[in-house]
Amino acid sequence: MKKLNGDNLKIALQRKGRLAEPSLQLLKSVGMDFDYHEGKLFAPCRSFPLDLLFLRDDDIPEYVQDGVTDLGIAGLNIVQERGAAVAQLDCLEFGSCSLSIAVPRKGPFKTVFDLEGKRIATSHAAILARFLDEKGVRAKIIPISGSVEIAPSLDVADAICDLVSTGSTLRMNDLEPIELVLKSEAVLIANPSSLKDPRKKQLIDRLRIRFQGNIRARKTKYVMMNAPESALAQIRQILPGMKSPTIVQLAEPGMIAVHAAVPEEFFWDVIEKLKQAGASDILVVPVEKMVV
Ligand code: ATP
Ligand code: MG
């Protein structure tokens, strides 16, 4: 194995699993150039002083806390569960899921308060304990490390607290969610001492700007349209939250082209309103990177 370069920034990523592929994709999309094959534990980047370490997601918060790596990408659920002393920097907008309490369908439990004195199986015992405490519900927590959803059918537990994205695993096991405990997604975490080291901090900031440029771009479309000049005031009002749009005079008198970046969340609303305001030939293109 190649030796780690002590001067390089180090980032811990999930080796195998749901966050592995999107984490690698994010790094590649911001210009990190590295060789990767499954089973690899370590990969240096050629284009940036960064080394990648591939680990189990559960271990990432502790590695970052202990300074084995400066940065890590892990689910917010894992970061909170492990309670490690790390700085939470940015949400990365992938790996979305909910940690929810679920119960057998058509059973007697409708809310978390019905679980007083009951058994709840989970791989997120610390988060669940905090949640039950806040709600004032005393239930017995059964810590399980995997396949939590089968616990009720084995009569190991009356309910579960587990990660859900589409809910299909729950349905397959005849369970239904009754209470949201935590909304989670992948987050960038950092070792607090690394953030105090000026050289490392500068590298971390450069990486964060790149990540944010990528995340923002994913959420933005670039919209180009033609419109009568007289519609400009109204069009400008419709275009949400962005700086001044670009206006280009067209060869046809009285006609202009308007170009603007539009956040994905408002996208269809904006397009419909623009059409009503007189815009035509509306072109929409994806944004590759967006640095503001
Ligand atoms: P490892 O071997 O690294 O410990 P794992 O089996 O614990 O892997 P995965 O199932 O790959 O972990 O999940 C990793 C993370 O993906 C979760 O901690 C969570 O943040 C996120 N995630 C997103 N959707 C889901 C889902 N439907 N079920 C479980 N995790 C999800
Ligand atoms: Mg794990």
Side-chain angles (χ1 to χ4, degrees):
M1 191 169 124
K2 267 193 201 138
K3 271 187 72 109
L4 300 179
N5 179 341
D7 286 338
N8 284 359
L9 207 61
K10 291 173 191 60
I11 187 166
L13 308 172
Q14 191 188 24
R15 182 139 74 106
K16 209 171 144 208
R18 287 188 161 87
L19 303 183
E21 185 57 36
S23 301
L24 289 177
Q25 285 247 321
L26 177 65
L27 287 163
K28 292 241 164 179
S29 74
V30 299
M32 299 300 127
D33 177 21
F34 52 86
D35 294 323
Y36 175 77
H37 61 78
E38 228 191 84
K40 211 168 182 173
L41 298 176
F42 161 74
C45 290
R46 281 183 285 269
S47 48
F48 198 90
L50 178 72
D51 293 337
L52 318 183
L53 265 77
F54 303 105
L55 304 165
R56 282 203 61 195
D57 69 340
D58 313 67
D59 300 332
I60 291 176
E62 276 91 343
Y63 274 106
V64 174
Q65 168 188 277
D66 298 345
V68 178
T69 65
D70 306 289
L71 295 170
I73 294 179
L76 179 64
N77 54 303
I78 293 291
V79 176
Q80 293 210 349
E81 179 62 24
R82 311 302 291 192
V86 296
Q88 221 167 280
L89 299 183
D90 302 297
C91 290
L92 300 174
E93 311 223 350
F94 61 85
S96 309
C97 56
S98 305
L99 183 66
S100 296
I101 295 178
V103 296
R105 272 199 291 191
K106 303 193 192 93
F109 313 121
K110 300 293 170 223
T111 75
V112 66
F113 301 106
D114 299 332
L115 296 173
E116 180 75 32
K118 304 292 174 198
R119 301 159 302 164
I120 311 176
T122 188
S123 53
H124 291 75
I127 298 178
L128 177 61
R130 242 176 285 143
F131 181 80
L132 292 175
D133 218 38
E134 274 165 27
K135 296 279 177 188
V137 173
R138 276 159 307 166
K140 185 168 166 43
I141 296 175
I142 315 278
I144 291 188
S145 62
S147 304
V148 174
E149 65 282 354
I150 59 168
S153 59
L154 299 177
D155 197 25
V156 173
D158 305 293
I160 64 166
C161 174
D162 201 9
L163 296 170
V164 187
S165 44
T166 61
S168 60
T169 312
L170 287 186
R171 276 192 298 279
M172 257 162 40
N173 288 280
D174 225 12
L175 298 168
E176 64 180 347
I178 54 164
E179 196 85 35
L180 173 70
V181 175
L182 173 77
K183 275 200 95 48
S184 179
E185 66 182 287
V187 290
L188 179 69
I189 53 173
N191 173 278
S193 316
S194 302
L195 290 173
K196 290 194 195 105
D197 175 330
R199 195 187 62 83
K200 285 185 170 173
K201 167 82 166 52
Q202 197 207 12
L203 289 172
I204 292 171
D205 286 346
R206 280 177 63 198
L207 259 187
R208 288 178 72 188
I209 288 171
R210 293 188 187 195
F211 284 167
Q212 282 155 11
N214 185 274
I215 292 163
R216 219 175 274 123
R218 268 192 270 146
K219 290 197 295 186
T220 308
K221 297 277 181 248
Y222 196 70
V223 179
M224 298 176 271
M225 74 208 82
N226 294 340
E229 215 159 353
S230 56
L232 180 60
Q234 208 187 338
I235 287 176
R236 287 196 61 169
Q237 274 191 353
I238 297 165
L239 292 171
M242 298 300 292
K243 291 192 199 115
S244 188
T246 307
I247 315 289
V248 186
Q249 205 71 46
L250 293 184
E252 192 184 331
M255 288 296 285
I256 51 169
V258 183
H259 296 188
V262 176
E264 178 104 72
E265 52 180 320
F266 305 122
F267 178 73
W268 283 111
D269 268 4
V270 169
I271 297 289
E272 284 162 11
K273 285 188 190 146
L274 287 171
K275 255 190 101 53
Q276 280 164 15
S280 59
D281 307 316
I282 303 174
L283 281 185
V284 180
V285 290
V287 177
E288 165 81 23
K289 301 280 186 291
M290 190 168 162
V291 180
V292 294

